[in-house]
Amino acid sequence: MELNGVKEPVPVATTDVLVVGAGPTGLVLAIDLARRGVPALLVEKSDRLFPGSRGKGIQPRTLEVLDDLGIVDAVLRAGRAYPRMLSWEGPDGTERGHEWDMIERATPTEQEPYANALLIGQSRFQDLLHARLRALGGDVVFDSEVSGLVQDADGVTAAFADGRTVRARHLVAADGGRSAVRRALGIAMEGESVDPKPMLVADVLLTPDAIVDDLNWHVWRTATDSGAVLCPLPGEPGLYQLIVRFDDENAVPDTSDAGVVGHLTAHTPVTGDQVTKVVWASDFRPRAALATRYRAGRVLLAGDAAHIHSPAGGQGLNTSVQDAYNLGWKLAQVLRHGASDALLDTYEDERRPIAAGVLGMSTRLHRHRLLSQDGHARAQTRQLGLGYRGGPLSTGRAGALEAGDRAPDGRLPEGRVFDLLRGPHFTLLAFGTPAPAIASARLHVHELGAYEAYGRGLFLVRPDGYVGWAGEDTTGLDAYLAAVGCAERP
Ligand SMILES: Cc1cc2nc3c(=O)[nH]c(=O)nc-3n(C[C@H](O)[C@H](O)[C@H](O)COP(=O)(O)OP(=O)(O)OC[C@H]3O[C@@H](n4cnc5c(N)ncnc54)[C@H](O)[C@@H]3O)c2cc1C
């Protein structure tokens, strides 16, 4: 393949993994690959990271992922608990009405140390991911728009809009809901409109004398369930995310600064002179859609490129981060440790059904506002109960767990379970039973006293925190380790 013509700022002509798009998906994948020593290039068409608060809810399962990636403390410091919703009433919307919790608050437990969703603007979250990537020696290459690709048996050659090319062994499309890579591959999205009514989303900076404060998430709702909400964003006093839902299905939200101020003042008692700045604005019509496949040869789709959701329930970003987390270790095992290419097929097998379930839930939440009424949906939004039981990488059961289950945390005399799991390795936990003598550079083995969250037995925890194999003895363990590229001795 001819590689001439590659010029700055793309720093390499070849790499193992080309990650297209530096949203949350691309950044998390790049972090995971960097800590595994897999050469990767993360390219972004814009000249900077996305500037808006869009996906502002980090779910408990994602906090666990961030714990493993070494960034959870920074994210917790930068975010805050979700404030209670406050309904404003009266003819001019200036009378305080009732308050309620959008999501029922849960109490952290030993097994689930991160019990509640965290509020943090997406742009702030992405800045923290970017800082972590840089600390690991990686970075984002901006001003680099992938415009096409060709692939053969050995790799993928991506063409950039400015004429450059990069050759990679695999390409991951993390380029968002309008994914150019997905279109180039001809992979269809199957789905539906969730809500015909258009919505405006914007970040606005308000003066201290505005009627709102950062103690609540403020709601002005019409009888037809349209209206506006202002959610205080952590990090900058006076910064709010505005969402307006229009009654008129044919309305075209004006996203200019003046337009945003006009929509804000039309739907809330906030006055124009109380708006210091419109930081960012966009409009959308909620849709739910799923890519018909996640893999085409050496190209894999992840995040919004593979599934788009209604914002209801705060699932899109979280599902996207977990796609990247599922894929990172599999790419590393195939590229660096001799695992079969078939391991990459399990990415679609595991993640596509999860996305289908999440899409269904966020659509139901959007249409029926089940969040305050349906305990099951409420529990699901935390994503702690999701897993891969019955999947192609889930073998056996022991004690209290079946392969595919999320590996619970716990504080044991020998240490905290999440501390033992943290890092790019596999972990064999022997609870109340002798640990077998297996040595591999990528497998940590711990013999521990019995712990009821696991029960007695052997539990092989994958690098992404799910039980891959479980048994009362080692029958089948070697074969499993070989299949995931973790068999050889150090
Ligand atoms: C109003 C609103 C509220 C939301 N709230 C939540 C929430 O509370 N919780 C939640 O989980 N999710 C939420 N979401 C969804 C969330 O924002 C998305 O799911 C998330 O951004 C997906 O991340 P991504 O990295 O896959 O895609 P994106 O964030 O879209 O990133 C894709 C990146 O790829 C770049 N790119 C595109 N094309 C190319 C190309 N050809 N070459 C190079 N780069 C390219 C783009 O510039 C962009 O930076 C919300 C969304 C909206 C609109």
Side-chain angles (χ1 to χ4, degrees):
M1 178 62 62
E2 179 58 63
L3 289 177
N4 292 335
V6 178
K7 61 179 192 210
E8 296 298 327
V10 173
V12 293
T14 60
T15 187
D16 275 5
V17 185
L18 178 62
V19 183
V20 182
T25 308
L27 287 162
V28 166
L29 182 60
I31 289 170
D32 201 16
L33 294 173
R35 70 179 182 148
R36 295 171 186 284
V38 176
L41 184 66
L42 173 56
V43 295
E44 165 58 48
K45 74 174 177 187
S46 300
D47 60 357
R48 59 190 171 140
L49 295 180
F50 179 74
S53 65
R54 212 154 61 125
K56 60 189 181 306
I58 308 291
Q59 299 294 345
R61 177 59 192 150
T62 305
L63 292 172
E64 294 182 351
V65 173
L66 302 176
D67 183 325
D68 181 43
L69 297 177
I71 192 184
V72 75
D73 290 337
V75 173
L76 289 173
R77 271 196 305 275
R80 59 170 286 182
Y82 267 78
R84 281 166 70 74
M85 314 287 294
L86 168 65
S87 165
W88 289 89
E89 324 264 324
D92 52 2
T94 56
E95 293 165 25
R96 296 177 81 94
H98 69 293
E99 283 191 22
W100 72 102
D101 278 322
M102 156 91 114
I103 307 167
E104 188 183 56
R105 284 169 217 266
T107 307
T109 64
E110 264 200 35
Q111 291 95 336
E112 297 177 353
Y114 306 106
N116 294 297
L118 184 83
L119 177 67
I120 179 173
Q122 183 166 331
S123 55
R124 218 165 141 66
F125 177 53
Q126 292 191 198
D127 285 344
L128 293 170
L129 292 174
H130 191 199
R132 180 71 182 134
L133 177 60
R134 294 179 71 149
L136 290 164
D139 209 341
V140 180
V141 181
F142 291 102
D143 295 311
S144 300
E145 178 178 357
V146 170
S147 54
L149 61 125
V150 287
Q151 57 174 321
D152 53 46
D154 302 320
V156 187
T157 300
F160 288 77
D162 59 8
R164 292 169 289 145
T165 57
V166 168
R167 175 83 172 159
R169 290 173 72 190
H170 290 281
L171 182 149
V172 178
D175 52 345
R178 297 196 174 95
S179 175
V181 173
R182 188 188 67 227
R183 286 163 202 253
L185 293 169
I187 296 179
M189 292 290 267
E190 285 177 347
E192 53 176 336
S193 164
V194 173
D195 184 349
K197 295 188 176 180
M199 298 174 88
L200 169 88
V201 55
D203 293 351
V204 290
L205 207 48
L206 304 182
T207 55
D209 64 335
I211 191 167
V212 289
D213 58 39
D214 66 3
L215 300 176
N216 285 107
W217 185 336
H218 307 269
V219 181
W220 291 266
R221 187 176 277 153
T222 66
T224 50
D225 209 16
S226 293
V229 295
L230 276 170
C231 180
L233 294 168
E236 192 169 352
L239 186 63
Y240 292 82
Q241 185 189 63
L242 167 71
I243 296 185
V244 179
R245 181 168 182 262
F246 295 86
D247 255 332
D248 178 3
E249 291 183 13
N250 298 313
V252 179
D254 182 350
T255 57
S256 68
D257 287 4
V260 170
V261 174
H263 293 311
L264 174 63
T265 55
H267 288 89
T268 77
V270 175
T271 57
D273 59 354
Q274 291 172 332
V275 185
T276 319
K277 190 177 176 190
V278 176
V279 181
W280 159 83
S282 182
D283 66 318
F284 64 103
R285 277 184 169 76
R287 257 170 41 82
L290 182 62
T292 49
R293 47 196 179 119
Y294 276 24
R295 180 175 188 189
R298 292 180 162 270
V299 182
L300 298 123
L301 308 184
D304 273 18
H307 44 77
I308 47 175
H309 307 212
S310 152
Q315 299 295 294
L317 178 148
N318 291 276
T319 307
S320 301
V321 164
Q322 285 163 54
D323 286 349
Y325 192 54
N326 182 286
L327 186 54
W329 69 269
K330 294 176 180 175
L331 282 166
Q333 293 306 107
V334 171
L335 287 166
R336 296 204 59 209
H337 306 303
S340 152
D341 177 79
L343 187 60
L344 293 179
D345 287 333
T346 69
Y347 164 68
E348 172 176 327
D349 295 337
E350 292 189 333
R351 294 303 301 168
R352 197 169 175 276
I354 296 267
V358 168
L359 283 178
M361 177 184 57
S362 39
T363 300
R364 285 194 305 279
L365 289 172
H366 188 105
R367 290 193 180 143
H368 306 298
R369 294 197 292 138
L370 291 177
L371 205 56
S372 56
Q373 301 157 26
D374 183 318
H376 181 55
R378 198 162 48 217
Q380 279 181 357
T381 61
R382 303 193 308 146
Q383 302 200 341
L384 290 169
L386 299 179
Y388 306 124
R389 275 190 189 191
L393 283 181
S394 304
T395 305
R397 66 172 307 144
L401 297 180
E402 183 171 330
D405 290 347
R406 161 190 164 275
D409 195 11
R411 291 183 188 279
L412 312 174
E414 298 88 347
R416 189 181 158 197
V417 175
F418 277 6
D419 288 342
L420 304 179
L421 302 183
R422 191 177 303 112
H425 51 81
F426 288 77
T427 313
L428 183 65
L429 302 174
F431 283 104
T433 190
I438 306 174
S440 161
R442 291 179 302 286
L443 175 66
H444 294 190
V445 181
H446 301 279
E447 196 171 298
L448 307 159
Y451 170 42
E452 72 277 5
Y454 285 77
R456 194 173 296 273
L458 298 168
F459 303 87
L460 179 71
V461 183
R462 307 168 6 165
D464 58 357
Y466 292 90
V467 176
W469 173 96
E472 281 159 18
D473 58 40
T474 57
T475 310
L477 177 58
D478 282 349
Y480 188 94
L481 288 171
V484 294
C486 193
E488 94 294 2
R489 286 160 197 277

